[in-house]
Amino acid sequence: MKQVEDSEILEKFANTKTRNEAFNLLLNKYQQKIYWHIRRMVIDHDDADDLVQDVFVKVWKNLESFRSDAQLYTWIYRIATNECITFLNKKKQRNNTPLDEVSDELSETLVASSYFNGDKIQLKLQQALLTLPEKQRLIFNMKYFDELKYEEISEITGTSVGALKASFHIAVKKIETFMLNEDITF
Amino acid sequence: MKQDFENDEWMKGLRETGFTTPAHYFDELSQSINARISAEKFKTVIQNDGHTVPDNYFEKLQANILAKTTAETDQIAKPKVVRLWNSSLLKYATAACFLLVTGLGLYFNQQNPVQQTAYTDLATDQMLYDIDEQVIIDHISSADITQPKSTAADTDLENYILTNYSQNELATSL
């Protein structure tokens, strides 16, 4: 199926008569990408479900004021990323737990989840990712799973391309080390 | 010899292309290449993250999001039913009407007895006017309009009381 262009979505959204149709097109195009982006950060399906709905409600409310000098999908990704970071920070504050304990908690959620059917290596990769600081994990996910360009990730996170490359490199090295310690080699 | 030197300079100039790179580019390049190679190696083994979703999840998700966004706007577009008594203006208007009606009622109630009296006087005058003057004269002259006079004098009564009743009896009865 031919993907509708962002410009067409924005044009239709600007017209009140075709606004609902435009939002439907936007959901068809981006809801799965955004869901997976959030899910990889918060791990739990129910949390991701709540957050993805919040993100698109915000998109609906603010799309009218969206300035087309930025790209639509990087704008939506930015909203989703901010929602994830806010959620994880609240989780830390609520439980009054340090970062490594939050990672342990997320790792336990992953193992106990009924919506994770990965094999041993997939599980280990996810556990390795959970040992990373949030920002490195975010950058790794966007580069590795979402296959975004550094320029796009830079627009989403507000970090320079050079810093992103360095973060990705460090993340990969940490994952390699984690895997080696678990006797998993590639 | 001199010609060779001039040729070297000329060659050097040709080799310089004018292109430049960002600072520390070549230091970071090897790191980036290594990271890419490692990531590619991961990808050959791990294509996806292993997360799953419930059946038909994305259809339900879209319906949920639409219910919170476009459906709400549709509701706003529909004519809104507003309860009559929710408007404070109407409340005050009703209260004012109530007070006005009550005030008018009281005012007319006060006016009515006066009118009634006036009406009764008019009716009496009309009745007298209708009766023949001679009949009225005869009626007045035949009627005993003098007050009945007591046959006993006041001193007789006083004496009677003083002789028949004791001081105590008088004190208790008075």
Side-chain angles (χ1 to χ4, degrees), chain B residues 150-169:
Chain B
S150 171
T151 48
D154 288 343
T155 46
D156 294 339
L157 276 172
E158 202 178 317
N159 289 333
Y160 174 78
I161 291 165
L162 287 171
T163 49
N164 290 302
Y165 297 95
S166 67
Q167 291 264 331
N168 280 341
E169 279 172 332

Side-chain angles (χ1 to χ4, degrees), chain B residues 96-166:
Chain B
C97 285
F98 180 75
L99 287 173
L100 186 70
V101 169
T102 313
L104 284 172
L106 284 170
Y107 174 76
F108 286 118
N109 261 348
Q110 281 176 344
Q111 293 297 312
N112 267 347
V114 178
Q115 283 179 341
Q116 192 80 34
T117 315
Y119 177 79
T120 315
D121 290 347
L122 276 171
T124 313
D125 286 350
Q126 187 63 41
M127 254 170 61
L128 289 170
Y129 183 78
D130 290 341
I131 299 168
D132 188 57
E133 270 181 25
Q134 193 53 51
V135 174
I136 296 167
I137 293 163
D138 292 346
H139 176 75
I140 292 169
S141 56
S142 66
D144 184 10
I145 55 169
T146 52
Q147 278 193 339
K149 280 195 175 173
S150 171
T151 48
D154 288 343
T155 46
D156 294 339
L157 276 172
E158 202 178 317
N159 289 333
Y160 174 78
I161 291 165
L162 287 171
T163 49
N164 290 302
Y165 297 95
S166 67

Side-chain angles (χ1 to χ4, degrees), chain B residues 5-32:
Chain B
F5 176 75
E6 280 172 357
N7 280 344
D8 279 354
E9 284 295 305
W10 184 75
M11 286 296 286
K12 204 177 165 186
L14 271 184
R15 268 185 248 121
E16 281 177 4
T17 57
F19 293 120
T20 59
T21 58
H24 312 295
Y25 170 71
F26 289 105
D27 300 336
E28 289 166 9
L29 180 63
S30 58
Q31 288 183 348
S32 293

Side-chain angles (χ1 to χ4, degrees), chain A:
Chain A
M1 200 176 90
K2 186 177 163 274
Q3 283 252 326
V4 64
E5 292 292 323
D6 286 352
S7 56
E8 194 185 332
I9 293 173
L10 291 170
E11 209 173 293
K12 285 188 171 178
F13 195 85
N15 184 345
T16 46
K17 285 178 185 169
T18 51
R19 179 163 291 185
N20 291 359
E21 184 199 341
F23 196 68
N24 247 317
L25 291 170
L26 183 142
L27 282 179
N28 284 332
K29 190 172 179 181
Y30 290 117
Q31 68 167 355
Q32 292 205 27
K33 285 179 185 170
I34 296 299
Y35 169 83
W36 288 118
H37 175 60
I38 294 171
R39 176 76 187 273
R40 287 183 197 113
M41 285 306 289
V42 301
I43 304 298
D44 182 59
H45 164 72
D46 292 325
D47 291 339
D49 181 45
D50 286 342
L51 288 174
V52 74
Q53 291 187 40
D54 291 347
V55 167
F56 281 104
V57 169
K58 280 194 176 169
V59 169
W60 168 258
K61 284 179 181 167
N62 297 295
L63 193 56
E64 210 169 6
S65 57
F66 168 74
R67 288 175 302 134
S68 50
D69 52 348
Q71 294 204 62
L72 180 61
Y73 75 94
T74 54
W75 180 69
I76 301 173
Y77 260 89
R78 191 159 62 237
I79 295 173
T81 303
N82 288 340
E83 286 290 311
C84 287
I85 291 168
T86 307
F87 171 84
L88 292 170
N89 285 340
K90 275 185 187 167
K91 202 178 175 101
K92 269 183 255 170
Q93 283 168 4
R94 198 168 48 236
N95 302 341
N96 202 17
T97 47
L99 180 68
D100 55 343
E101 284 182 31
V102 172
S103 302
D104 289 347
E105 202 182 306
L106 290 175
S107 186
E108 282 166 22
T109 308
L110 181 73
V111 175
S113 173
S114 0
Y115 299 116
F116 183 82
N117 68 356
D119 56 22
K120 191 189 165 196
I121 297 177
Q122 284 170 326
L123 178 66
K124 288 295 167 196
L125 174 64
Q126 288 301 319
Q127 287 176 332
L129 282 170
L130 289 171
T131 62
L132 302 177
E134 259 162 39
K135 194 151 188 186
Q136 273 178 21
R137 188 154 66 96
L138 185 72
I139 292 161
F140 182 89
N141 283 340
M142 283 196 276
K143 188 72 194 153
Y144 184 86
F145 292 112
D146 298 333
E147 296 181 332
L148 295 179
K149 292 175 187 160
Y150 280 120
E151 287 74 16
E152 292 166 338
I153 302 172
S154 171
E155 207 177 308
I156 294 162
T157 57
T159 309
S160 71
V161 170
L164 289 175
K165 283 180 181 174
S167 276
F168 184 68
H169 166 73
I170 295 165
V172 170
K173 284 285 153 202
K174 282 183 183 173
I175 292 165
E176 260 184 335
T177 311
F178 182 93
M179 293 300 214
L180 280 172
N181 289 341
E182 298 284 327
D183 290 329
I184 297 167
T185 49
F186 297 98

